[in-house]
Amino acid sequence: MTDLRIAVILGTTRPGRNGEDVADWVMSQAADRPATYELIDLADHELPLLDEPIPPSQGHYQNEHTKRWAELIGQYDGYVFVTPEYNRSTSGALKNAIDYLYAEWNDKAAGFVGYGSIGGARAIEHLRGMCGELQIADVRTAVNFLLATDFVDYQDFTPGDHHPPIAQEMFAQVERWAGALKPLRG
């Protein structure tokens, strides 16, 4: 498992986002895991609204930003998506970033950390459907942060003590699946 690389993808670019603190917490929880976890902040990648003329499933990327994104995402064995819940779904930025690629996501594992009024549960459910289409094996355990209880005044992140064991179980599941799927990718 020590050769596994897992990307923690911060799935919002919104100014004043709570996601930075959540992603930092995820990274701190993953610090002693046997896999290597690396943070990818979508705000650091310029991905305009999907502008590829050929469907991603064909693998003929035309734009340099898409090629850079594909190279980055393709090097990981799995992902932990940190998602807000906006209007009963994930963020448009995360949906757009996922939609850019196809083969780079295939035969990998994913876990989810959500936050929102009901812990990002509806955003995670939408992401699960997307993962199925992209041949990503998503794991059962997810970490859900409630705005009313895990944030002071809906902004200052103060996660409850019950979250770390849930995160550890999610990491373990992602690592097991990522390891099991790695031979499929050659």
Side-chain angles (χ1 to χ4, degrees):
M1 295 261 198
T2 57
D3 63 336
L4 293 177
R5 293 182 68 204
I6 310 294
V8 175
I9 299 177
L10 173 49
T12 179
T13 59
R14 185 178 190 170
R17 60 196 173 161
N18 287 328
E20 286 181 279
D21 291 337
V22 175
D24 289 344
W25 181 89
V26 171
M27 292 299 296
S28 73
Q29 296 299 306
D32 295 326
R33 299 295 310 173
T36 300
Y37 286 78
E38 299 171 14
L39 180 62
I40 297 176
D41 186 342
L42 291 184
D44 295 335
H45 301 275
E46 293 186 26
L47 294 172
L49 286 176
L50 184 57
D51 62 351
E52 285 291 331
I54 300 170
S57 61
Q58 301 302 304
H60 300 294
Y61 305 132
Q62 305 296 306
N63 298 312
E64 289 305 312
H65 54 264
T66 308
K67 292 174 185 176
R68 284 190 302 272
W69 183 239
E71 183 178 343
L72 177 64
I73 293 303
Q75 65 184 302
Y76 292 98
D77 300 299
Y79 311 95
V80 173
F81 294 103
V82 176
T83 182
E85 183 171 314
Y86 297 156
N87 300 315
R88 301 176 78 89
S89 189
T90 191
S91 72
L94 181 54
K95 171 80 166 89
N96 187 58
I98 291 170
D99 286 347
Y100 259 95
L101 308 176
Y102 182 72
E104 293 78 8
W105 300 114
N106 294 174
D107 298 323
K108 298 181 181 180
F112 307 100
V113 177
Y115 60 95
S117 61
I118 61 168
R122 296 171 292 204
I124 290 171
E125 284 307 307
H126 283 177
L127 285 169
R128 288 186 191 283
M130 293 164 54
C131 285
E133 184 65 24
L134 294 168
Q135 301 180 57
I136 300 171
D138 61 287
V139 303
R140 180 181 184 272
T141 301
V143 182
N144 302 91
F145 295 109
L146 300 170
L147 287 176
T149 59
D150 291 305
F151 295 83
V152 174
D153 295 327
Y154 298 91
Q155 288 188 322
D156 296 323
F157 186 50
T158 55
D161 292 339
H162 62 287
H163 292 297
I166 298 168
Q168 294 304 316
E169 180 58 29
M170 179 200 59
F171 294 141
Q173 290 174 9
V174 169
E175 291 162 12
R176 283 193 303 269
W177 276 101
L181 292 168
K182 193 168 186 165
L184 296 178
R185 297 190 312 276

